[in-house]
Amino acid sequence: MIANYGYKDGSGDYYISIDTDRCIDCAAGRACLTACPKEMFEIITDDYDDEVACIKQANRRSLAYDCADCKPSGGYASLPCTTACTPGALKHSW
Amino acid sequence: MNAQVAEAVAPEKKEFWRWQENTWVDESKDWRDAKIVTCGIDVGSVSSQAVIVCDGELYGYNSMRTGNNSPDSAKNALQGVMDKCGMKLEDITYVVGTGYGRVNVPFAHKAITEIACHARGANYMGGNKVRTILDMGGQDCKAIHCDEKGKVTNFLMNDKCAAGTGRGMEVISDLMQIPIGELGPRSFDVREEPEAVSSVCVVFAKSEALALLKAGYTKNMVIAAYCQAMAERVVSLLERIGVEEGFFITGGIAKNPGVVKRIERLLGIQAIDTQIDSQIAGALGAALFGYTLMQKQGAAKAA
Ligand code: SF4
Ligand code: SF4
């Protein structure tokens, strides 16, 4: 399942999408949990009883601000979360 | 007193936003004949529904406005349908809670997110060809893809603002002093289709509506401009995950042709029609999840 967390507002689309099928047998040892300096990820049991990563409720409406430190306006080469998630489950829309 | 009469003799301060609460049971069946009776309760921010499913088939439901707290709203929603068919809580084998208040349904055995429940409910209501679901709830909007079994494959939810939601529609209805059920038909009673309003934000709705009326718009044109803006907004949400054939709309706004027809026009596809109340999709899905769980456990109602 692709789970998209985030929102769209006047300034743009801010979504982090997680390909949860890749989380089921995570080959990265749940690296997202420790890689994110804002500790935005958590592991939940989803509706189909799979253990997968998700973005914490508290961050879902403020991604643009929460991720700002990792995404300087001058550009960035890589993000801690996407780099740590070697199975390639994570994508940012902005 | 039926609803029309009640409306006609309503006190001066009309509540234009008030949508029809309703209770229904399938009189052709008797729940006492069922082996497994399950219930789904969807406590949303604006409305609450209880759905009874007998052996995997829809039997009855009650849909009403959410009260001050989730446990009472859940209880009242369920009581409404149980009273109609002489059922007691003990007669129900399994209860699943969903919606934002799902963890506060005191008698629920399990809580399942509204994303999974809407997909499951839509799969029942629209059949197994349903692939893309748009749920326009009271205060949020969801776009969901599912497979032929109603299992979610992709979803996105927007609950950051009330624009494009039932709450947004209620605000417009109140502002225009027009009953909510008339907004859709009236939005087509215009000489030419106006541009969408620039902002669907409910906070700005009032001043923008007043400005349009001042500029010579009729009320119907203002309503049309809002319906168009809401349609554009939810379509942009849908486009993020893509739209596949087998398009189905759930939630209260599915009853508003002013928004639905404009969404269909923008997407270039028709939504699948259903005879079942679009507002019960989440609770229906929850009850169906309960049925599957019971089947798996091989449990049947004690004789
Ligand atoms: S997001 Fe990546 S690192 Fe985190 S659990 Fe899923 S697959 Fe593993
Ligand atoms: S960009 Fe930074 S703050 Fe945002 S989710 Fe990734 S690691 Fe966390």
Side-chain angles (χ1 to χ4, degrees), chain B:
Chain B
M1 196 187 322
N2 72 25
Q4 280 87 351
V5 177
E7 202 173 312
V9 297
E12 305 84 22
K13 179 150 184 12
K14 275 187 109 183
E15 290 175 308
F16 293 97
W17 53 266
R18 195 171 279 281
W19 39 269
Q20 182 96 49
E21 299 186 336
N22 70 65
T23 312
W24 172 88
V25 295
D26 185 344
E27 309 278 1
S28 70
K29 291 182 198 152
D30 187 345
W31 61 267
R32 293 168 191 88
D33 298 334
K35 286 199 183 69
I36 303 175
V37 178
T38 56
C39 169
I41 299 200
D42 181 353
V43 182
S45 54
V46 172
S47 70
S48 295
Q49 288 81 24
V51 168
I52 303 286
V53 157
C54 292
D55 292 333
E57 296 288 328
L58 173 62
Y59 172 72
Y61 65 79
N62 183 30
S63 172
M64 58 199 298
R65 202 165 173 83
T66 295
N68 293 336
N69 67 66
S70 301
D72 284 349
S73 302
K75 240 181 269 166
N76 293 340
L78 179 56
Q79 200 61 51
V81 62
M82 290 199 304
D83 285 351
K84 198 159 170 106
C85 60
M87 190 184 277
K88 293 198 193 66
L89 188 56
E90 309 85 85
D91 298 317
I92 302 172
T93 324
Y94 202 83
V95 181
V96 174
T98 188
Y100 99 112
R102 64 183 175 275
V103 291
N104 288 316
V105 177
F107 38 87
H109 300 92
K110 189 181 170 84
I112 298 179
T113 70
E114 54 270 43
I115 309 270
C117 289
H118 272 274
R120 188 72 192 271
N123 172 270
Y124 182 96
M125 292 161 77
N128 60 9
K129 55 194 178 298
V130 170
R131 288 293 175 280
T132 306
I133 300 145
L134 172 65
D135 171 53
M136 286 183 282
Q139 278 191 350
D140 63 40
C141 208
K142 308 172 196 76
I144 304 165
H145 277 181
C146 67
D147 65 13
E148 72 287 351
K149 289 189 180 135
K151 187 179 184 213
V152 178
T153 52
N154 194 339
F155 75 85
L156 117 70
M157 175 158 147
N158 186 5
D159 60 358
K160 199 170 152 132
C161 80
T165 67
R167 183 75 200 111
M169 257 312 158
E170 290 181 357
V171 170
I172 302 308
S173 152
D174 231 25
L175 270 175
M176 293 291 115
Q177 302 274 287
I178 287 173
I180 198 151
E182 288 178 25
L183 292 180
R186 274 181 177 251
S187 76
F188 295 112
D189 192 6
V190 288
R191 251 180 303 155
E192 60 177 307
E193 179 79 16
E195 291 263 306
V197 289
S198 57
S199 159
V200 274
C201 177
V202 292
V203 181
F204 297 123
K206 192 169 183 175
S207 56
E208 186 157 12
L210 294 177
L212 288 174
L213 288 172
K214 247 189 184 164
Y217 269 48
T218 60
K219 277 188 179 182
N220 290 358
M221 280 171 78
V222 175
I223 296 165
Y226 270 101
C227 288
Q228 179 66 21
M230 285 193 183
E232 286 178 11
R233 191 176 164 91
V234 296
V235 164
S236 77
L237 198 75
L238 266 174
E239 277 167 350
R240 169 115 235 124
I241 67 163
V243 181
E244 293 172 16
E245 272 295 338
F247 176 51
F248 194 79
I249 307 180
T250 61
I253 297 190
K255 297 177 195 168
N256 181 332
V259 179
V260 171
K261 293 219 167 78
R262 288 178 173 87
I263 292 172
E264 291 177 333
R265 203 186 289 160
L266 287 165
L267 291 175
I269 56 171
Q270 295 267 311
I272 295 171
D273 218 10
T274 179
Q275 298 305 312
I276 304 172
D277 186 330
S278 60
Q279 268 181 292
I280 69 158
L284 172 60
L288 291 168
F289 264 111
Y291 175 67
T292 310
L293 276 165
M294 284 296 93
Q295 264 189 321
K296 274 190 193 155
Q297 288 179 19
K301 191 177 73 171

Side-chain angles (χ1 to χ4, degrees), chain A residues 1-9 13 15 21 47-50 57 60-62 65 92-93, chain B residues 110-113 116 119 150-160 233 236-237 240-241 289:
Chain A
M1 170 164 59
I2 309 290
N4 295 279
Y5 297 101
Y7 54 92
K8 178 190 179 86
D9 66 16
D13 279 27
Y15 289 99
D21 292 344
D47 293 318
Y48 306 104
D49 288 332
D50 291 321
Q57 189 73 44
R60 291 181 195 172
R61 296 181 185 193
S62 52
Y65 302 98
H92 288 233
S93 69
Chain B
K110 189 181 170 84
I112 298 179
T113 70
K151 187 179 184 213
V152 178
T153 52
N154 194 339
F155 75 85
L156 117 70
M157 175 158 147
N158 186 5
D159 60 358
K160 199 170 152 132
R233 191 176 164 91
S236 77
L237 198 75
R240 169 115 235 124
I241 67 163
F289 264 111

Side-chain angles (χ1 to χ4, degrees), chain A residues 16 32 34-41 55 59 63 65-71 76 78-83 90 92 94:
Chain A
I16 295 180
C32 55
T34 46
C36 174
K38 297 278 166 72
E39 298 180 349
M40 275 161 53
F41 294 87
I55 302 290
N59 302 103
L63 292 183
Y65 302 98
D66 296 338
C67 295
D69 290 346
C70 292
K71 299 184 171 198
Y76 57 91
S78 66
L79 298 172
C81 52
T82 49
T83 307
L90 300 177
H92 288 233
W94 77 108

